[in-house]
Structures are given as structure tokens and as C-alpha cells.
């Protein structure tokens, strides 16, 4: 079966608009938290989050000098009037596409697939349209119905990049990003695609969704309204709940044979990706499923637990979630100071929900490439001192093999494993 490599990455985030700036933010531990007032009916609530600031799509696209003029024009035509989430996906995907040199060494259009992570991606767009046109529906824009569907992301990206292979969205709640990576991995391994553009869109939550998360006590930040920078604290005893974040990210997966034929050097190899269920419709995590999926990922990668140098944890800053995940990791990798380093990117970016797995895959590979592990922001009093949790400063590290977890409501457990460039000839 085909081996799978990563040939391109891109990001457009609340903490950085591109890979270069994102890498700087990871190294320095730079975050960007603020307060957003959310009104639903008669209720108004402050929400702490890492929110994407307003941006000029055309200006952002024009700042990327390496984009061929024809491709840039297609992106402008497709994205200039699109919702913010579509524009952010285009910018992240464009960066990955250029890095993978797909505009120079074009692959057959039907050998490329596009997979978009998440579902119910447009709930805030629909809410905004309802507020604007609810009492005058005859003025609803004709493009509303297309923009209201998750497949608008798939169609827009396929049009810009002339993709004629498979296209789909993957729903897995907060595990959607990893689910998308796993589906792309499976397509390539099966020989159904040579290349897969995997995009994690930003999460734009409507006021009703924010209220819904608040009603089940999932949101954090209530104790940090005066200092939102302290609110997101994965694995710290002061954690209250998840802090939403907004980042769009893209990974281009490719068969090793295709990358070799195009003369493109891989950035990393994806060795394995597994998903399993807890047979549970609720929001609570379960050690059994987390342990099982990590073991299955290791089996799929054909390596033992001792080979893993680093774990990018799901680490949502929720008390039950953080503690359950650490116990699951210890059950496989052991306790003490000899196990893999552990951190949570959500401390820096917030919880990016649908795109989290793709954002964290980009983060993982950047750390592998650059020999460091980013800080665990606000980790002051760890919930468990018997793990190799990264502290408040980045640490130098040579990462050969890494594992990244994503878990979702409805008992969804996922783990993916990457190998660094040149590890045991994997690339």
C-alpha cells in the first residue's frame, strides 16, 4: 500500500496570518485572547476567546507574492464576496498549495481530492442572515443558499484549484480535523487519490451555540473576565472549560510516489490515523476509547509506544477532559519523567473545534522541523506532576515520532502519528 507524506501546510489564525508568523508565535508562546459580548434573546454573556480580527481578503491575498497571477485571480473571484470562513480557508489552502509546489508541478486534476473538516459550519452565517432579513425575506441574497451549506467550502476550493477528484466534509465534532486527515490518509493508501487537500475551517459560532455550550458548563473563562489571557490553561488546576479559538489550517497529504514524481521533498510522513467510538451519545470522555485509539494508531504505524517523543494532546482546558486524557496517556506511555513530552496547542490558539486537528497537525510538524516544543500556556499548578508536561517556556527537542489526539462529543476518539523527515527512511 502507498506510504503517505505531507508536502504542504498553511494557516490563517487569530495568532498569525501565515506559517512564518505562526512558528514565531509557537516559539514565543504568543496568544491573543479577548472578550466578545454575545447576545441571544434577552441574555447577554461575555465570552473569552481567541477571535480572528477583521481582515481585508484581497489585501491578504495580494501580500502573498508567490501566487501565480491566474490562481490569484481565481481566488479573488471566488472569495471576494464569500463569508469570512470561506476566505480564511482559501488563504490557508493557498499557502499549502504553493508550499507543495502544486502550481509549478501540476498533478492530474482527477487525482486530487479535497476534504473539509467539520459540519454545521455556517450556523453563525445563517443566524446573521436571519437577523438581517428575517422580517424582509424577499431581499435574501440569492447566494445565501449556497453559502449556508458546508459543501460551499468544498466547491469553492475545488473551483480555485481545479480539483476534480473526490470531495467531502467530515463531521466529528471537535475531532473533525483528525477525522478529515484520517479519511485523506485512507484515500491515498487505497490508491483512490494521489493528493488530498485537507482543510480545517474556522469555527464561527452563533449566539445560540455559545449559549448551548454555556448551558452544559463547557465554556471556560468566567473567572478570568478581567484578565482573559489567563483563561485558557490546559492541564492546570485552575482550568474552567474550553476557550474558543479561530484558526483555519490546511495540510496537503500525498503519496510518496507522487511526491517523488513531482520532485517535491516531503515535510513529514503520516504513518497512521485511527478513529473509534465509545458507544456513548453524551459529551463525557472515556479512558477506554482513548486508550484503544492510541494503541490502534501505534499498531497502524508499526511502532511501539517507546518510540513516541512527543504528544500533542487534545488538552481542552476542561477539568474532566484534561484529567481523563492524562490518565489515558499514562496507561500507554507510563508515568514519570521518561515518557514523551506533552503539550496542548489550544493554550495558544484556543479550541478551534472543527479545525483543531488540522491546526495541531501543522503545529506538530513545525515543531518536528524546527527542533522545539511550544509552551503550555498558563500551566502553573499541573493537575498531574507525574507527566512530561511542557512548562511556560518552549523546550528544545528532537522529535522523531509524534502522536496527536482529538476527541469529540458523541464518544469520538482519534489519534494520528507523524514521523519526521528522514526517520528510518520513511521519506
Amino acid at each position: 500500500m502507498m506510504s503517505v507524506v505531507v508536502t504542504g501546510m498553511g494557516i490563517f489564525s487569530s495568532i498569525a496570518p501565515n506559517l512564518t508568523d505562526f512558528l514565531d508565535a509557537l516559539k514565543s508562546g504568543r496568544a491573543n485572547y479577548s472578550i466578545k459580548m454575545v447576545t441571544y434573546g434577552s441574555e447577554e454573556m461575555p465570552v473569552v476567546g481567541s477571535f480572528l480580527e477583521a481582515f481585508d481578503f484581497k489585501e491578504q491575498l495580494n501580500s502573498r507574492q508567490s501566487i501565480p497571477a491566474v490562481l490569484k485571480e481565481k481566488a479573488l473571484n471566488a472569495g471576494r464576496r464569500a463569508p469570512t470562513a470561506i476566505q480564511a480557508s482559501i488563504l490557508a489552502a493557498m499557502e499549502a498549495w504553493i508550499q507543495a509546489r502544486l502550481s509549478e508541478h501540476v498533478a492530474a486534476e482527477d487525482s486530487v481530492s479535497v476534504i473539509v473538516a467539520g459540519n454545521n459550519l455556517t450556523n453563525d452565517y445563517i443566524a446573521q442572515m436571519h437577523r438581517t432579513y428575517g422580517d424582509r425575506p424577499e431581499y435574501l441574497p440569492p447566494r445565501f443558499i449556497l453559502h449556508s451549506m458546508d459543501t460551499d467550502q468544498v466547491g469553492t476550493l475545488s473551483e480555485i484549484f481545479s480539483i476534480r477528484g473526490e470531495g467531502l466534509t467530515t463531521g466529528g465534532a471537535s475531532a473533525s480535523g483528525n477525522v478529515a486527515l484520517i479519511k485523506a490518509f485512507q484515500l491515498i493508501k487505497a490508491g483512490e487519490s494521489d493528493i488530498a487537500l485537507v482543510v480545517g475551517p474556522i469555527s464561527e459560532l452563533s449566539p445560540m451555540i455559545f449559549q448551548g455550550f454555556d448551558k452544559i458548563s463547557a465554556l471556560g473563562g468566567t473567572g478570568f473576565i478581567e484578565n482573559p489571557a489567563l483563561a485558557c490553561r490546559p492541564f492546570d488546576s485552575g482550568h474552567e472549560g474550553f476557550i474558543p479559538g479561530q484558526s483555519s489550517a490546511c495540510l496537503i497529504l500525498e503519496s510518496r510516489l507522487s511526491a517523488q514524481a513531482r520532485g517535491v521533498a516531503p515535510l513529514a510522513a503520516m504513518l497512521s490515523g485511527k478513529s473509534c467510538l465509545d458507544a456513548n451519545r453524551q459529551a463525557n470522555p472515556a479512558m477506554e476509547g482513548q486508550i484503544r485509539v492510541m494503541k490502534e494508531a501505534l499498531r497502524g504505524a508499526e511502532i511501539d509506544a517507546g518510540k513516541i517523543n512527543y504528544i500533542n494532546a487534545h488538552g481542552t482546558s476542561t477539568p474532566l477532559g484534561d484529567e481523563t486524557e492524562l490518565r489515558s496517556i499514562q496507561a500507554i506511555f507510563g508515568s514519570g519523567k521518561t515518557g514523551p513530552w506533552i503539550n496542548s496547542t489550544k493554550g495558544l490558539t484556543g479550541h478551534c473545534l472543527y479545525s483543531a486537528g488540522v491546526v495541531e497537525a501543522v503545529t506538530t510538524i513545525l515543531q518536528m522541523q524546527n527542533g522545539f516544543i511550544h509552551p503550555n500556556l498558563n500551566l502553573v499548578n499541573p493537575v498531574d506532576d507525574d507527566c512530561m508536561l511542557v512548562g511556560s517556556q518552549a523546550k528544545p527537542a528532537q522529535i522523531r515520532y509524534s502522536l496527536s489526539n482529538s476527541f469529540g462529543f458523541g464518544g469520538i476518539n482519534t489519534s494520528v502519528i507523524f514521523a519526521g523527515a528522514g526517520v528510518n527512511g520513511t521519506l
Side-chain angles (χ1 to χ4, degrees):
M1 294 180 74
M2 297 288 184
S3 58
V4 180
V5 297
V6 179
T7 52
M9 302 190 296
I11 196 152
F12 189 74
S13 168
S14 57
I15 65 171
N18 54 57
L19 283 175
T20 300
D21 291 346
F22 189 70
L23 176 60
D24 289 342
L26 295 177
K27 287 180 175 179
S28 64
R30 185 177 74 243
N32 180 26
Y33 290 105
S34 61
I35 303 289
K36 175 180 180 178
M37 296 306 298
V38 173
T39 303
Y40 180 61
S42 61
E43 293 192 43
E44 186 175 67
M45 59 182 286
V47 176
V48 178
S50 184
F51 302 112
L52 197 63
E53 296 177 359
F55 64 93
D56 185 302
F57 174 67
K58 183 176 181 180
E59 184 179 295
Q60 284 290 334
L61 205 57
N62 285 335
S63 70
R64 290 152 169 78
Q65 300 299 323
S66 54
I67 303 173
V70 173
L71 190 57
K72 184 179 290 186
E73 186 61 28
K74 289 176 72 176
L76 282 170
N77 287 339
R80 61 163 49 98
R81 300 182 68 188
T84 300
I86 295 278
Q87 293 180 341
S89 292
I90 293 171
L91 292 169
M94 187 66 75
E95 185 173 31
W97 192 264
I98 297 300
Q99 187 179 48
R101 295 168 57 194
L102 282 163
S103 58
E104 303 171 35
H105 303 279
V106 180
E109 293 176 351
D110 60 356
S111 72
V112 184
S113 299
V114 56
I115 301 178
V116 175
N119 57 2
N120 301 321
L121 301 173
T122 64
N123 61 75
D124 191 49
Y125 172 75
I126 294 171
Q128 289 175 20
M129 292 294 103
H130 185 267
R131 288 194 296 272
T132 304
Y133 299 104
D135 59 351
R136 46 194 185 110
E138 65 273 18
Y139 294 107
L140 191 68
R143 63 185 181 276
F144 162 76
I145 195 61
L146 292 175
H147 288 332
S148 71
M149 297 182 182
D150 295 341
T151 49
D152 194 32
Q153 292 262 353
V154 176
T156 300
L157 293 168
S158 69
E159 180 179 311
I160 292 169
F161 298 109
S162 300
I163 295 172
R164 300 179 187 274
E166 293 198 34
L168 65 150
T169 62
T170 62
S174 296
S176 294
N178 266 9
V179 172
L181 289 170
I182 291 165
K183 291 306 164 190
F185 180 79
Q186 291 169 344
L187 279 176
I188 294 170
K189 293 285 279 187
E192 298 292 332
S193 291
D194 292 331
I195 299 168
L197 183 80
V198 182
V199 176
I202 62 169
S203 58
E204 291 192 299
L205 304 183
S206 70
M208 179 185 284
I209 299 298
F210 277 121
Q211 289 285 351
F213 277 125
D214 187 58
K215 297 306 179 190
I216 63 168
S217 301
L219 278 178
T222 55
F224 299 95
I225 297 301
E226 299 302 318
N227 196 345
L230 301 179
C232 195
R233 41 200 323 116
F235 307 120
D236 185 81
S237 59
H239 50 192
E240 297 179 338
F242 88 86
I243 305 299
Q246 291 186 310
S247 296
S248 180
C250 179
L251 225 65
I252 291 179
L253 299 184
E254 185 167 359
S255 75
R256 183 165 60 88
L257 290 178
S258 173
Q260 287 176 339
R262 295 195 308 111
V264 176
L267 309 173
M270 184 170 170
L271 300 186
S272 176
K274 297 293 181 180
S275 176
C276 74
L277 298 173
D278 292 332
N280 173 24
R281 62 187 173 87
Q282 303 294 341
N284 58 294
M287 281 184 64
E288 189 276 333
Q290 294 181 3
I291 291 169
R292 183 155 49 95
V293 80
M294 285 188 279
K295 285 183 174 179
E296 283 296 300
L298 288 165
R299 184 185 62 80
E302 298 182 341
I303 59 174
D304 59 43
K307 292 280 192 180
I308 298 293
N309 310 116
Y310 163 63
I311 296 175
N312 189 301
H314 185 56
T316 57
S317 189
T318 58
L320 181 59
D322 288 355
E323 291 162 19
T324 301
E325 184 174 12
L326 286 183
R327 289 198 301 271
S328 299
I329 289 170
Q330 288 172 329
I332 298 173
F333 298 95
S335 302
K337 301 301 180 183
T338 59
W341 284 108
I342 303 168
N343 66 7
S344 170
T345 300
K346 294 177 181 70
L348 300 174
T349 62
H351 190 346
C352 297
L353 299 173
Y354 330 116
S355 67
V358 188
V359 172
E360 289 155 21
V362 169
T363 301
T364 295
I365 294 168
L366 284 174
Q367 291 171 105
M368 297 177 82
Q369 289 179 310
N370 292 277
F372 78 103
I373 302 176
H374 73 68
N376 270 312
L377 201 65
N378 296 321
L379 184 62
V380 179
N381 297 303
V383 295
D384 192 325
D385 286 318
D386 209 18
C387 290
M388 291 278 283
L389 289 167
V390 183
S392 59
Q393 300 293 321
K395 290 189 176 294
Q398 296 304 311
I399 307 168
R400 293 167 61 80
Y401 296 98
S402 61
L403 179 146
S404 182
N405 286 331
S406 285
F407 309 126
F409 286 2
I412 300 172
N413 306 288
T414 66
S415 294
V416 297
I417 293 177
F418 295 100
V423 174
N424 293 336
T426 53
L427 305 187

